[in-house]
Amino acid sequence: DILLLIDDRFTTSLADELLALKLDLISDGWNPISVLVSKDSSHQVVWGKVDSVNTITPLEGVYIIGHVPVPYSGFLFPDGHPDHAGAWPTDLYYVTDSTLWSDNTIDSVNATRPQNTNVPGDGKYDDYQIPEAIFAPISRVDFFNLPSMLISEEDMLRNYLREASKYKNGDAPTLNQGLVDNNFVNFGEGFAFNAYNNFSSLYGSDSVVLGDMLTDLTTDTYKWTYACGFGSDTSAVGIGTIVDFRNTDYKGIFSMIFGSYFGDWNTQNNFMRAAMANGKMLTTAWAGRPMYFFHHMGQNQPIGVSAQASINNNL
C-alpha cells in the first residue's frame, strides 16, 4: 500500500491528473490510498492521519502532493554555514513513531534565518538524527512559494504529474546514462563520488558522461543527473539559478543536486525544488553530504527502496 497525502486545494482542479497517478501506481503493483490534508493544519495532525492508515494496513510508501505541513527538527548545518544553524525540514517525522521525538532541549534563535529558530515547545523537534528507522520511504512534490517560476503552483503540479505519467507509460525516451556536472572538482570531500558510484552500478563503467546540466539536458534526456556547486537558496555556481531553470527547456528523470543552503528546501524560490517544476525533472535529492545509494533500482526496485535504505543506513 502507498499513501497519497494530497493538499486538499487541488483535489478538484487536478482530479484528472490525480486519477492518472493512481492508475499508474496500480499498474506498478501498488494499492494507492488517498488522504486529504490542509496546508494550514499542523504536522501533528498529518502524522495522526498517516498513523491511522498505517495501523490498519502497513504502508510501503508515502507520497506527498502539494504543500502538506512541513515538520522541522534539529540544530545542525550540514552545508557548513553557521548562519544556517538550527532546525531543518524533515518529512521523515511522518514515517516514524512521533512519541520518540522531543521538543524540550534545543534553545537557539537564528536571527539571520528565522525559519531555522528552534526553542523548547515551539513544535520544532530536538532530534538531529531520526530516533528510529523509518518504516516506509516518503517523497514530496511541492511547488509552494516559487514566485520566480512565473506560473501558478497548481499548473506546476499539473505539468509535473502529466510528465511523470508519460515516463511511467514509456512516452519519455531516455538515455541509460548519468550526466555529471561537477563544480567541486577541487574540493577534497569528493561530493560527485555519489554520482560515479551510483551511475556505474546501474549502467556500467562507461555510463558516466561529464557535462553541463542545463546545456546537455536540452538535447538529451539522461536517466540520471548529478550537479553540484557552491550554492545559495536560489542558485548554484556552475549550474545556474532558479530563473535559468524557468527559462531553459531541459528534460531529466532522476537527479541529485548538492550545494549550500538549498538543502533547507522549504524556502521561497528554493533552487532544488525548482529543478522539478513543470516536470522538467521528476526526482531530486540533496546528495553528497551524506551519500545516497540507488543501486537497488538496477534490480527494478522503486527509487523509494533506495531512499529508505540510504536514510536508515546509520541505524
Side-chain angles (χ1 to χ4, degrees):
D1 295 323
I2 185 169
L3 177 63
L4 304 182
L5 281 178
I6 302 171
D7 185 329
D8 62 9
R9 294 175 296 156
F10 305 113
T11 51
T12 300
S13 59
L14 298 181
D16 290 344
E17 288 76 17
L18 291 171
L19 176 59
L21 172 63
K22 293 173 187 176
L23 293 175
D24 288 339
L25 289 169
I26 291 170
S27 296
D28 285 340
W30 296 96
N31 174 38
I33 302 169
S34 298
V35 171
L36 303 184
V37 177
S38 168
K39 76 176 183 64
D40 298 317
S41 65
S42 69
H43 63 267
Q44 292 93 342
V45 168
V46 177
W47 182 90
K49 291 177 180 288
V50 176
D51 183 60
S52 65
V53 175
N54 189 56
T55 299
I56 297 171
T57 175
L59 294 170
E60 296 177 280
V62 179
Y63 190 164
I64 296 174
I65 302 169
H67 195 54
V68 171
V70 180
Y72 277 76
S73 189
F75 178 77
L76 69 167
F77 49 102
D79 55 1
H81 295 275
D83 66 315
H84 201 193
W88 280 33
T90 175
D91 283 337
L92 302 181
Y93 167 83
Y94 290 133
V95 284
T96 58
D97 180 351
S98 69
T99 64
L100 300 178
W101 297 71
S102 64
D103 181 18
N104 49 39
T105 59
I106 301 298
D107 191 357
S108 172
V109 175
N110 190 321
T112 304
R113 302 172 65 89
Q115 67 268 35
N116 300 127
T117 290
N118 190 357
V119 297
D122 65 350
K124 298 178 182 179
Y125 299 102
D126 303 318
D127 308 76
Y128 65 91
Q129 184 175 352
I130 50 176
E132 66 173 359
I134 61 172
F135 61 76
I138 186 167
S139 63
R140 176 185 288 258
V141 179
D142 185 347
F143 302 123
F144 180 76
N145 201 17
L146 297 178
S148 289
M149 298 306 291
L150 301 183
I151 186 172
S152 71
E153 180 184 3
E154 178 184 306
D155 283 337
M156 282 189 277
L157 279 170
R158 177 178 292 107
N159 293 338
Y160 174 89
L161 291 170
R162 288 177 176 176
E163 289 297 323
S165 185
K166 286 181 183 179
Y167 175 70
K168 282 183 170 292
N169 286 279
D171 295 330
T174 63
L175 298 175
N176 285 329
Q177 292 178 300
L179 177 69
V180 178
D181 185 356
N182 182 12
N183 299 285
F184 279 131
V185 290
N186 296 319
F187 204 91
E189 198 167 337
F191 302 117
F193 174 75
N194 212 169
Y196 290 93
N197 179 55
N198 280 291
F199 301 164
S200 60
S201 68
L202 290 171
Y203 306 120
S205 59
D206 59 350
S207 64
V208 179
V209 177
L210 304 183
D212 178 84
M213 175 182 174
L214 289 184
T215 299
D216 294 337
L217 290 182
T218 60
T219 55
D220 293 299
T221 302
Y222 288 84
K223 185 71 68 70
W224 271 97
T225 304
Y226 185 93
C228 60
F230 294 100
S232 71
D233 287 299
T234 61
S235 67
V237 172
I239 304 171
T241 68
I242 184 174
V243 174
D244 294 319
F245 280 157
R246 182 189 76 207
N247 293 336
T248 304
D249 187 22
Y250 66 93
K251 289 292 182 184
I253 306 298
F254 307 108
S255 74
M256 296 174 276
I257 303 177
F258 183 77
S260 298
Y261 294 102
F262 51 78
D264 179 9
W265 49 262
N266 189 34
T267 56
Q268 185 178 70
N269 288 325
N270 179 266
F271 182 72
M272 188 170 71
R273 285 192 296 125
M276 295 170 54
N278 293 323
K280 293 181 177 181
M281 189 73 71
L282 298 185
T283 74
T284 192
W286 195 72
R289 185 192 285 165
M291 299 286 184
Y292 271 80
F293 303 95
F294 293 108
H295 53 276
H296 313 78
M297 297 174 71
Q299 301 174 321
N300 289 324
Q301 295 291 333
I303 192 170
V305 170
S306 292
Q308 183 177 11
S310 299
I311 290 163
N312 289 339
N313 199 35
N314 288 333
L315 297 175

